[in-house]
Structures are given as C-alpha cells and as structure tokens.
Amino acid sequence: MAQTSAAPLTRRQKIEQKEHALLWAARQMFVEHGYDGVRMAALAKRVGMSEGSIYSYFSTKSDLMQAIVIDFWREIADGARASVSSDDPPFQQLCDLAEYHLATVIKHFDFLDLTVTLRRGADDNIVSREQLRAYTSVFDDIFRKAVDCGEISPDVVMWLVRDTFFGTLEYSARSILGRRTQSTSDMTLVIDNLLEQIQKSYGLNTNGAVSASSLEERITTRLESVADRLEGAMTQLARDSNLES
Amino acid sequence: MAQTSAAPLTRRQKIEQKEHALLWAARQMFVEHGYDGVRMAALAKRVGMSEGSIYSYFSTKSDLMQAIVIDFWREIADGARASVSSDDPPFQQLCDLAEYHLATVIKHFDFLDLTVTLRRGADDNIVSREQLRAYTSVFDDIFRKAVDCGEISPDVVMWLVRDTFFGTLEYSARSILGRRTQSTSDMTLVIDNLLEQIQKSYGLNTNGAVSASSLEERITTRLESVADRLEGAMTQLARDSNLES
Amino acid sequence: MAQTSAAPLTRRQKIEQKEHALLWAARQMFVEHGYDGVRMAALAKRVGMSEGSIYSYFSTKSDLMQAIVIDFWREIADGARASVSSDDPPFQQLCDLAEYHLATVIKHFDFLDLTVTLRRGADDNIVSREQLRAYTSVFDDIFRKAVDCGEISPDVVMWLVRDTFFGTLEYSARSILGRRTQSTSDMTLVIDNLLEQIQKSYGLNTNGAVSASSLEERITTRLESVADRLEGAMTQLARDSNLES
Amino acid sequence: MAQTSAAPLTRRQKIEQKEHALLWAARQMFVEHGYDGVRMAALAKRVGMSEGSIYSYFSTKSDLMQAIVIDFWREIADGARASVSSDDPPFQQLCDLAEYHLATVIKHFDFLDLTVTLRRGADDNIVSREQLRAYTSVFDDIFRKAVDCGEISPDVVMWLVRDTFFGTLEYSARSILGRRTQSTSDMTLVIDNLLEQIQKSYGLNTNGAVSASSLEERITTRLESVADRLEGAMTQLARDSNLES
DNA sequence: GATGAATGAGGCTTCATTCAT
DNA sequence: CATGAATGAAGCCTCATTCAT
C-alpha cells in the first residue's frame, strides 16, 4: 500500500515476480503431464524464460518440484486454518474442516496424486512428511480444544480419530471422483455421516457407551499420553543427533 | 499322469516356471526402485535371463507391470475372500476382513503405493479400476448379508460405510507405517475402533457383542500398545546413536 | 511321367517341395515388405516351418534372398528366350523381346526395385552382375543374328544399341507406372517408337519391314492410346470427386 | 555493418555452417554405407558433434536423409539448367544436357542408387517424385523450344522422347560404370549416338522418313496433343478439387 | 530332423544440466 | 546476467542366429 502504482521495484521484486510465474506454470504443467512428463525446455518456453534461467532459481528439476509442493501445502494449510472460525464450538470447527478438506482434496486431486507419486522418488524424497504434519495439526488443535471443552471424552485416542477423519475423507474423495458426476450432496452426505459417527462414538453429551469407561481406562489413557510425549522427545533427540554428523 | 511327481515337466511347465520367476523378481524390483527406476537390463540380470528373453514373455515393460498388478490384485482379492468364514455372523466377517485388509495394506504398502503411482500413466493406463472393484466387492457382499440378517439398518447407504471402512484402514496403515515401529496392538486398536464405530453408527442392536468385550481385555491391549511404542522409540534411539560412529 | 500319381517320393522330393514353398513365400514377403522388413520369424510362420528349419535350407537370410533373385532371373531369362521364335526375322524378334521386357519390368517392378536395392548391400553383394548378363545375352544373340542377316549395319556398336534398348524400356516402365492408369496402348507406343528408332538409325534397308506396317494400323493404335488416356483421366477424375464426399 | 568481412558471424551463421557440415558428412556416409549402414553415433563422431546435437538439427535420421536428398536434387537441377546456354539452338542444348546428365549420373551414381533404394521406404516416403519432376522439366523446356523452333516435328510425343533420353543415359551410365575403365570417349559415343537417333527419328530438317508421314499421321498427332492438354487439365482439376476439401 | 526359446549386441532417441557467448 | 546449443549417458526394444530338447 505504501507503494504507488507505477513504481517499479526493479531487482528483487521483479525477480520474485518471475519466480512466482515460474512456480505457477511449473505447477500446472506438473499436474497436467506428471513429473517425468514435463521437460525443462517446455517449461522454459511456457514461462518465457530460457532453460538456463530456470536453473538460477532452482538448481534442479527436483528442487523446483519440492518448492512447488511446499508452497502448495502451506497454501492449503493456511486455507484449512482459515476455514474454521475459532469462535465456533469445536465440533462445528471439525465440520468446517471436513468440508474444507473434502473440497480441497477433490479440487487438487491430481496434484495430491502427484505428490504421493513423488514420495517414492527413491534417491531424493521430494515430498517430506513434515509438510503433511503441518497440515494435520489443524485437526489436532481443534480436537484438543474439543477435549478441553468437554465435547469429546478425554480418553479418546486422538490418532485413531484423526486417521478416521482424514482417511474417510480422502477415500471418499477418490470414490466421489470415480463417479461420473460429482454432486455436492454426496459431499454433504459424507461429511454429515463422518461427523455423526465421531459424535456418536466419541462425543460426551450423548449417553454413549464410551462414557462408561472406567477409572482404569482413564489411567491407561494418561499413560498413553505420557508415552506420546516421551516418544516425541526421544525421536526428536534421535533426529538431532543424526543431523550433527 | 504317466509322469511322476519329481519328473521334469519340459517345455510348457519350464516356461511357466520362468515366467513366474520373472514376475516375482520384477515385482520386487518395481517395489524397491519404482517403475521408472527399474532398467530392463538390471531385471534381466536379476532373473538370470537375457534382456531379449523378457520380451518373449511380455512385449513391453508396461505389459510386464500390468501383469504383475493384475496378479497382485487377484492374489489379495482371493486372500480377502479366504479371510472370512461365511459361517460367522456378518459383523465378525467384517472384523476379519478389516484385519486382513489392514495387515495386507501394511505388508504390501510399497506395492500399493506403486500401484497408485501408475494410475497416472498418461498414455497407457497400467492399473485399471476394475481390479479395485473386484476387491471391494468382498466388503459389499458381507455388508449386504449384514443388512439381510438385520445386523445393520437397511437404510444405511452402503458406499458411505465402505468409504469409511477402507478409508480409515488405509490411512491408518500409512499412519502406522509412519511410526518408527509397527506394533500389532496398534492394529488391533484401529480395527476395534473402526468396528465399534460402525456398530454404534449403523448397527441395530445397541448392546452389541463387540462392546461386551471385557474392560480388562482392553486395558491390557492399551498397555501393550504403550509399551510397544516406548520400546520401539528407545530401540530406534539406540540404533540412531550407533549410526553416528 | 515316370512317376505314378500316388507314389510319394519321400525324402528328396518332399524337401524340394518345401524349399520351393519357402522360396515362393519369401519372395512374396520380400516384395511386400522389403528385405529388412521381413523377419525370419514371420517368414517361418507363413510357410509353416520353424525358424530353425529355414536355416537348414539357407544358412543365412542373405543366402535365401540370393537364391530367390537367382531363380527370378533364370525364370525371366527363360521367359525372354521363349518370347521370341527363332524363325521370325531378327527385327521381329527384337520387337517381341521388347514387348516381353516391358511387360515383365512392369509386372515385377517391385521385385526388380528390391533387386536394385540389394546391389548396395555393402558387405555382401546379394545380387551379382552375372545374372543380369545372362538376361541381356538374349538381346545380344538376336542382335548378332540381325547383323548376320544384313538387317543391321555391321559397324554398329552393339552395346550402344543394347543400352538404348534396355534403358528406354526400363525408364518407360517407370514412367508408365508413375501414371494414374496403365494403358496397354502406351506400351505399344513405346515399343513401336523404340523399334522404329533402331530401324531408322541402324537398319540397312530403309524401306524395312516395320515401316511397311500399314498406315491404318498405326493410326488405329494411336487413336486407341488417345482414347485410353482420356478414359483413364476421366475415371480418375470421377474417383477423385467421389473421395470428396 | 560494423562487422568486417572476416568477422565471425556468431550464432546463426555458425549454426548454418555446422548444419552444412553435418549434411555433407552424412551424405558421404550414406553413400558409402547405405541408409541402414550408417549409425548415428558414427556420424556424430565424423562431424565432431555429439549424438544428441544432431537431433537438434534434424529430429530424425529419416529427416536428415530427406534433407540431403532434397539438397541434392536442387543442386543437380540447378546444374542442369546452368549446363545449357539458352542462346544455343535447342538441339545443341539437348546435347549439353545429355552430357551433363550422363556425367552427373556417373559421378553421383552411388547416391542416385541410394535415392532409388529409399523410394521404397514403406512407412515414410523419404524421396518424393516431385524432386524428379523438377529435374526432368529442364528437358521438357528445351524440347518444347525445339518444337517451336521447328527443329523437331510438332507431332512427336514428348514423353516418348523424354523416356528415351533419360532411360538411355541412365542405363548407359550403369553400363559404363560396369566396365573396368571409364573412358570419356564412351560417354561421347553414347551422347552422339543418342542425339543422332533423336535427330534422325524426330528431326525436321533432315529428309528423314518421318517427313514422309502422311497427312493422316499429322491428324492423329494433333488429336494426341489435344488429348494431352485435356488430360492435363483434368488431372489438374481433380487435384484442385481434392485440395479444397 | 525339427523346434522355438534364448541370446545379446547394438540401434535410435531423449533430456537434465552445463557453459561459452 | 541471460541464453540455448551442446552434451552424452542410458533407456527400451529388435531380430538374425544358435542349440538344447
């Protein structure tokens, strides 16, 4: 805003602009033709650069891809966070997140597919697990809040629900895309069904079976949470040690 | 019949034997290095054939891959069918199927991943959707029986449950594999949780058999899981430390 | 005739029969697909032999081709000799030979072309010059007789006439084949023209026999030719118009 | 302009220079070893490029060959036109053309042979008939002029003479090359003989036999010429009609 | 003898990356 | 700094010929 319309910020800005164009064009091409289906020469022509220039932005085809993927995940992670309003009750937030996730997976299916494809790049792991974790943490935060609010029983194992949540949505997305026509009502159906299930199975306000969980149960749950933290700490420790070498 | 057990079945049998060996070796290599990562020359050397010979069995690298995938799906579809005994009540069958599926997905994760990768093979669709349908039909059959038996409400939309079923299991498999160590108790946890959810959400008799599983039993399972993970993390830590030397 | 109908002359005869079938099938395939376009495997299937068997008749693909070519040349050389009756005056014989040659070149053009192709087989000269000489000797014999008879001046250089003779006919064949439609009157035209030229240029008796052919006869021939060509052009035009639909 | 004569014309010129070298080297090798006998690797080494570089000039081995052939025909067609001086009487021009053609065919015999070989390239017609027509048109032009000048009888069918002309020369070239030694006197002999024949058979100024052609003869000839034009017009019409679709 | 599976040496072509201009 | 021609290492596949059965 401090910048008047005609003021050309040569240098840095121009460069970032080009990098952006490059990333965007590359992303489209990768989705369309697959990683191996894109030739650097074709990409260069598409963005109006020379092949050599691309290499001044990203030193490798694989690097370029990685940058795209990172951007993508940051983008949809932000979207996920934005899709829920922290004022709503956690359950509503979960519902919003589900809606966002399903819609996103369907919209960017090809790209996600490509992403998966590249988790197998033998030599160089283009897509890391970190990016995924950043995304799922949105769910985790809401979930923990739900527990705090008493909407969900504290002895529910989070990862079980998380896996059900994302697993069901992802598979449903594939299933929906497999059909001839994608009706939004199918999406609504999936989300309602999923949330209802979670509500019935783990919710507190219903007089469900889970509420009968005994004291012992709670004890083990706590133990588990301790184990979680311990494990996390240890893993971190191990990783740090490795990186030093 | 004129031929005793140990007799050499010249000609045809020998060839089938070789084809089998070829398929097997190729499968291993594809899983290990990915489709594009496998060079026909390397494969030839691995099975002890010449490059040219491979082409008398499969006229194309892509053909070979396709044969492998078809075999694989037939194999696990058969396994799925065999994993359930039709005498059991449908819910038990679903439980058995879940167990089989989760175990299978975990065991053959790399291969399945590869399979997904190839669904994007632009020009030639190496992996068809038919094979998948043949597999999921096992679930459908059981589900329908469950409805007939009155174990599941007749107004439940089958594909919703199917997507939840496979989606949860698949994602859980990824999640489990993502951890340093795979404990069988985690798998049990996932399956119990899934089935319980289905039971609660779609079952007709609320006081179902599964929920009757004794509290002690479940506590034990949880404890085992916690112990497993701690142990795993520690082992991993130790191993990592060693690598530094 | 020494051989009764049902008497199977096993061994030698059967073999020669097979060799004949092989040569014939190979010839057809070579003409159709060119030397390099024929795979020994395909040939084997076509004649109903195994690949290995072929090699017991001809130790090399190139050998096989050579045998075919030799047979071919012997065949048409015999045909050439048969096309002229030694009772006729030499000039008439030359005329018959020309007719035979032009017809033969047109009929077997593809094969002759193939033959030429192989004269360039760098390492192994599949088609030798001997075969050609055996063929052209038919011309030479007649020519010499013509000189002896006094029909042709003794101081004419034979090879000059021979080259004119075969050269004109071969090129004309190409030229005729290049047209949309092949009319026989074109062939007659070419032959008459050629012989008349030879007559005029090298003949001794100016008022030779050929020139004695009645005027009416020649006019008729010309008219036929004109009609043929007009008809051909029209047919072609009609056909082309149809293709537009 | 700022660039002196000897200055290096970087970029484009250098490339064209390389392309030229490539074409030339390839031509030599193709003539020497035949189309299939030339390996791209060997060619690359010969011109001092890398294999890959060749493909940035010609996207295919076949393309390369085609370019060579086109160049060749343009070259000799130009040569043919240059070999005759339009000031000379047509007959002299024909004589010069014959000399040029015979010398050219002998000089480039191997290449022409190769050219013929490739007219049979099953899938892709490497050598088109157009190129040949462009060449023979030189003859046609002179011939028509000769008719106009009254050197040749107007009722002579042009293609008959054309076929005799080129056919005789080509065959003679083969014949001369077949001999141990190529004497120029043989070439002179062939040309003199050919021209004399044409002179005697079709020339007007001699009191040859042709001049005796009766009135009827002339009538048919005229008819023929009419047919020629009609045919030409029709063919053209047909071609045009097709191109419209 | 007949068979046809096996061989294995290349052939053409592609393409990420570099580097002289 | 940008350019884009050059590189060159493989990759997949073909096919005449052999030889164990």
Side-chain angles (χ1 to χ4, degrees):
Chain A
M1 54 179 81
Q3 172 193 341
T4 22
S5 61
L9 297 191
T10 22
R11 246 173 299 265
R12 193 167 220 90
Q13 279 224 331
K14 238 176 184 171
I15 288 181
E16 286 186 353
Q17 206 171 220
K18 274 198 172 186
E19 179 176 316
H20 203 73
L22 174 57
L23 281 167
W24 185 248
R27 174 160 156 183
Q28 285 179 283
M29 293 190 78
F30 280 133
V31 168
E32 197 168 357
H33 304 105
Y35 183 77
D36 287 318
V38 174
R39 336 236 153 277
M40 297 306 271
L43 176 56
K45 191 184 282 181
R46 170 89 157 252
V47 280
M49 296 180 179
S50 68
E51 287 165 83
S53 296
I54 295 180
Y55 283 85
S56 66
Y57 291 92
F58 303 94
S59 57
T60 272
K61 188 185 186 184
S62 160
D63 271 14
L64 170 59
M65 183 67 192
Q66 194 150 24
I68 291 172
V69 172
I70 289 175
D71 271 15
F72 173 76
W73 281 100
R74 186 169 40 222
E75 192 182 306
I76 67 164
D78 289 351
R81 238 172 277 275
S83 74
V84 302
S85 54
S86 45
D87 302 333
D88 289 340
F91 234 93
Q92 182 54 43
Q93 290 184 39
L94 234 43
C95 191
D96 291 341
L97 180 63
E99 199 168 346
Y100 174 80
H101 186 69
L102 187 57
T104 301
V105 169
I106 286 178
K107 184 175 173 191
H108 300 291
F109 193 78
D110 284 337
F111 191 80
L112 284 163
D113 215 21
L114 179 58
T115 283
V116 170
T117 293
L118 295 173
R119 252 196 293 261
R120 302 194 39 77
D123 12 317
D124 45 357
N125 254 22
I126 295 183
V127 181
S128 80
R129 218 164 294 277
E130 297 312 308
Q131 289 142 6
L132 200 138
R133 187 141 10 235
Y135 182 76
T136 54
S137 74
V138 181
F139 171 91
D140 292 358
D141 291 347
I142 301 177
F143 188 87
R144 271 191 275 265
K145 220 180 297 170
V147 172
D148 290 347
C149 295
E151 284 194 347
I152 282 186
S153 159
D155 37 272
V156 172
V157 185
M158 184 166 71
W159 65 263
L160 278 177
V161 191
R162 191 207 296 129
D163 288 356
T164 300
F165 186 85
F166 287 113
T168 299
L169 290 176
E170 248 181 70
Y171 202 95
S172 296
R174 263 211 294 282
S175 158
I176 286 174
L177 281 169
R179 289 174 206 147
R180 304 252 180 280
T181 53
Q182 283 92 42
S183 70
T184 51
S185 65
D186 275 356
M187 291 172 54
T188 312
L189 218 55
V190 166
I191 292 165
D192 286 354
N193 184 63
L194 173 62
L195 267 297
E196 192 183 313
Q197 243 178 254
I198 292 179
Q199 167 73 29
K200 268 192 198 146
S201 298
Y202 314 112
L204 273 182
N205 42 357
T206 338
N207 49 356
V210 175
S211 63
S213 61
S214 67
L215 190 64
E216 289 87 335
E217 165 79 351
R218 302 196 167 214
I219 290 172
T220 29
T221 303
R222 286 283 149 81
L223 218 97
E224 225 160 1
S225 117
V226 169
D228 271 349
R229 291 195 201 114
L230 273 174
E231 189 186 34
M234 280 164 153
T235 316
Q236 190 57 43
L237 175 64
R239 207 173 311 148
D240 292 351
S241 307
N242 274 341
L243 291 179
E244 286 175 0
S245 65
Chain B
M1 56 180 75
Q3 173 191 334
T4 21
S5 61
L9 302 185
T10 25
R11 245 175 301 267
R12 195 167 216 94
Q13 282 224 334
K14 234 174 183 171
I15 287 181
E16 286 186 352
Q17 208 171 215
K18 278 199 171 184
E19 178 176 317
H20 205 74
L22 173 58
L23 281 167
W24 186 247
R27 176 160 157 182
Q28 285 178 284
M29 292 190 78
F30 279 133
V31 167
E32 197 168 356
H33 304 105
Y35 183 77
D36 288 319
V38 173
R39 330 260 153 242
M40 297 307 271
L43 175 54
K45 193 183 281 183
R46 169 89 155 253
V47 277
M49 296 181 178
S50 68
E51 244 177 302
S53 294
I54 296 179
Y55 285 85
S56 66
Y57 290 92
F58 302 94
S59 56
T60 272
K61 190 185 185 184
S62 158
D63 270 14
L64 170 59
M65 185 64 194
Q66 195 151 23
I68 292 172
V69 172
I70 288 175
D71 271 14
F72 174 76
W73 282 100
R74 190 172 34 222
E75 193 181 303
I76 68 163
D78 289 350
R81 238 171 276 276
S83 73
V84 303
S85 54
S86 45
D87 301 333
D88 289 340
F91 235 92
Q92 181 56 41
Q93 290 185 40
L94 235 43
C95 191
D96 292 340
L97 180 63
E99 198 168 347
Y100 174 80
H101 186 70
L102 186 57
T104 301
V105 170
I106 287 178
K107 183 174 172 191
H108 300 292
F109 191 79
D110 285 336
F111 190 82
L112 284 163
D113 213 22
L114 177 59
T115 281
V116 170
T117 293
L118 294 173
R119 257 197 289 260
R120 303 188 38 81
D123 11 314
D124 45 356
N125 254 19
I126 296 183
V127 181
S128 83
R129 216 166 294 278
E130 298 311 306
Q131 289 144 6
L132 199 137
R133 195 162 334 259
Y135 183 76
T136 54
S137 74
V138 180
F139 170 91
D140 292 359
D141 291 346
I142 300 177
F143 187 87
R144 271 189 276 264
K145 220 179 297 170
V147 172
D148 290 347
C149 295
E151 285 193 346
I152 281 185
S153 160
D155 39 80
V156 172
V157 185
M158 183 166 72
W159 65 262
L160 279 176
V161 191
R162 192 206 296 130
D163 288 354
T164 300
F165 186 84
F166 287 112
T168 299
L169 290 176
E170 247 181 71
Y171 202 94
S172 297
R174 257 209 300 279
S175 157
I176 287 173
L177 281 169
R179 291 172 204 148
R180 294 254 194 273
T181 53
Q182 285 89 43
S183 72
T184 51
S185 58
D186 275 356
M187 292 172 53
T188 311
L189 222 50
V190 166
I191 292 166
D192 284 353
N193 184 62
L194 173 63
L195 268 295
E196 195 181 309
Q197 243 178 257
I198 291 179
Q199 167 73 28
K200 270 191 202 139
S201 300
Y202 314 112
L204 278 180
N205 45 340
T206 320
N207 51 353
V210 175
S211 64
S213 62
S214 78
L215 193 64
E216 291 85 340
E217 160 82 355
R218 308 194 62 192
I219 292 176
T220 318
T221 305
R222 287 277 185 93
L223 270 170
E224 263 175 54
S225 159
V226 168
D228 276 350
R229 282 161 69 193
L230 276 173
E231 189 184 38
M234 281 162 152
T235 317
Q236 187 61 36
L237 176 62
R239 207 174 308 150
D240 290 352
S241 307
N242 279 340
L243 290 179
E244 288 176 358
S245 64
Chain C
M1 55 178 76
Q3 173 193 342
T4 21
S5 61
L9 296 191
T10 22
R11 245 174 299 265
R12 194 169 217 90
Q13 280 225 333
K14 242 177 180 167
I15 287 180
E16 287 187 350
Q17 206 171 220
K18 275 198 170 185
E19 180 175 315
H20 202 75
L22 174 58
L23 281 167
W24 185 248
R27 176 161 155 182
Q28 285 179 283
M29 293 190 78
F30 280 133
V31 168
E32 196 167 358
H33 304 105
Y35 183 77
D36 287 320
V38 174
R39 337 237 153 276
M40 297 306 270
L43 175 56
K45 192 184 280 181
R46 170 89 156 252
V47 279
M49 296 181 180
S50 67
E51 287 167 83
S53 294
I54 294 179
Y55 283 85
S56 66
Y57 291 91
F58 302 94
S59 57
T60 273
K61 189 186 185 182
S62 159
D63 270 14
L64 169 59
M65 184 66 192
Q66 195 149 24
I68 292 171
V69 172
I70 288 175
D71 270 15
F72 173 77
W73 281 100
R74 187 169 38 220
E75 193 182 304
I76 66 164
D78 289 351
R81 238 171 277 275
S83 73
V84 304
S85 54
S86 43
D87 302 333
D88 289 341
F91 235 94
Q92 182 56 43
Q93 289 184 38
L94 235 41
C95 189
D96 292 339
L97 180 62
E99 197 168 347
Y100 174 80
H101 186 67
L102 186 57
T104 302
V105 169
I106 287 178
K107 183 175 173 191
H108 299 292
F109 193 78
D110 285 336
F111 191 80
L112 284 162
D113 213 22
L114 178 58
T115 281
V116 170
T117 294
L118 295 174
R119 254 196 293 260
R120 302 194 38 78
D123 9 316
D124 46 357
N125 254 21
I126 295 184
V127 181
S128 81
R129 219 164 292 277
E130 297 312 307
Q131 288 141 8
L132 201 137
R133 184 138 12 233
Y135 183 77
T136 53
S137 74
V138 180
F139 171 92
D140 292 359
D141 290 348
I142 300 175
F143 188 89
R144 270 189 276 265
K145 221 179 299 171
V147 172
D148 291 348
C149 295
E151 286 194 345
I152 282 186
S153 158
D155 39 79
V156 172
V157 185
M158 183 167 71
W159 65 259
L160 278 177
V161 192
R162 192 207 295 132
D163 288 355
T164 300
F165 185 84
F166 288 112
T168 299
L169 290 177
E170 248 180 67
Y171 202 94
S172 297
R174 265 213 289 283
S175 157
I176 286 174
L177 281 170
R179 290 175 204 148
R180 292 245 196 280
T181 53
Q182 283 90 45
S183 72
T184 51
S185 59
D186 275 356
M187 291 171 53
T188 309
L189 222 51
V190 166
I191 293 166
D192 285 354
N193 183 64
L194 172 63
L195 267 296
E196 193 182 311
Q197 242 179 257
I198 292 178
Q199 167 72 29
K200 270 188 203 142
S201 300
Y202 314 112
L204 277 180
N205 45 340
T206 322
N207 51 352
V210 174
S211 62
S213 61
S214 79
L215 194 64
E216 289 86 340
E217 160 82 357
R218 308 194 62 192
I219 292 177
T220 318
T221 305
R222 286 278 184 93
L223 270 170
E224 262 174 57
S225 160
V226 169
D228 276 349
R229 280 162 70 194
L230 275 173
E231 189 184 38
M234 281 163 153
T235 318
Q236 188 59 39
L237 176 61
R239 207 173 311 148
D240 290 352
S241 307
N242 279 341
L243 290 179
E244 288 177 358
S245 64
Chain D
M1 54 183 75
Q3 174 191 332
T4 22
S5 63
L9 301 186
T10 24
R11 247 175 299 269
R12 195 165 216 95
Q13 281 224 333
K14 233 174 185 173
I15 287 181
E16 285 184 355
Q17 205 170 217
K18 277 199 172 186
E19 179 175 315
H20 206 73
L22 174 57
L23 280 167
W24 186 248
R27 175 161 156 181
Q28 286 178 284
M29 293 191 77
F30 279 133
V31 168
E32 196 167 356
H33 305 105
Y35 182 76
D36 288 319
V38 174
R39 329 261 154 243
M40 297 307 272
L43 175 55
K45 192 182 282 180
R46 169 89 155 254
V47 277
M49 297 182 178
S50 68
E51 250 177 295
S53 294
I54 296 179
Y55 285 85
S56 65
Y57 290 91
F58 303 94
S59 56
T60 270
K61 190 185 184 182
S62 159
D63 270 14
L64 170 59
M65 184 65 194
Q66 196 149 22
I68 292 172
V69 172
I70 288 175
D71 271 14
F72 174 77
W73 281 100
R74 189 173 33 224
E75 192 182 305
I76 67 164
D78 288 350
R81 239 171 275 274
S83 73
V84 303
S85 54
S86 44
D87 303 332
D88 289 341
F91 234 94
Q92 181 56 42
Q93 289 184 41
L94 235 41
C95 192
D96 291 340
L97 180 62
E99 199 169 347
Y100 174 80
H101 185 68
L102 186 57
T104 302
V105 169
I106 286 178
K107 182 174 175 193
H108 301 291
F109 191 79
D110 285 336
F111 190 81
L112 283 164
D113 213 22
L114 178 58
T115 281
V116 171
T117 292
L118 293 173
R119 257 195 290 260
R120 304 187 38 80
D123 10 315
D124 44 357
N125 254 20
I126 296 183
V127 181
S128 84
R129 214 166 296 278
E130 298 311 309
Q131 289 143 8
L132 199 137
R133 201 172 318 269
Y135 182 77
T136 53
S137 74
V138 180
F139 170 92
D140 292 358
D141 291 346
I142 301 175
F143 188 88
R144 271 190 276 263
K145 220 178 298 171
V147 172
D148 291 347
C149 296
E151 287 196 345
I152 282 188
S153 159
D155 37 88
V156 172
V157 186
M158 183 167 69
W159 65 260
L160 278 176
V161 191
R162 192 206 295 131
D163 288 354
T164 299
F165 187 84
F166 288 113
T168 298
L169 290 176
E170 246 180 71
Y171 203 94
S172 297
R174 248 198 322 269
S175 157
I176 287 173
L177 281 169
R179 290 172 206 147
R180 304 255 180 278
T181 52
Q182 283 90 45
S183 70
T184 51
S185 65
D186 276 355
M187 291 172 52
T188 310
L189 219 53
V190 166
I191 292 165
D192 287 353
N193 184 62
L194 173 63
L195 267 296
E196 192 182 314
Q197 242 179 256
I198 292 178
Q199 168 73 28
K200 270 193 196 143
S201 300
Y202 315 111
L204 275 182
N205 42 357
T206 336
N207 49 356
V210 174
S211 60
S213 60
S214 68
L215 192 65
E216 289 89 335
E217 165 78 352
R218 302 197 166 216
I219 291 174
T220 28
T221 304
R222 285 283 149 80
L223 218 97
E224 226 161 0
S225 117
V226 169
D228 270 349
R229 288 195 204 115
L230 275 175
E231 188 186 35
M234 280 164 153
T235 317
Q236 189 58 40
L237 176 64
R239 208 172 311 145
D240 292 350
S241 308
N242 274 341
L243 291 179
E244 286 176 2
S245 63

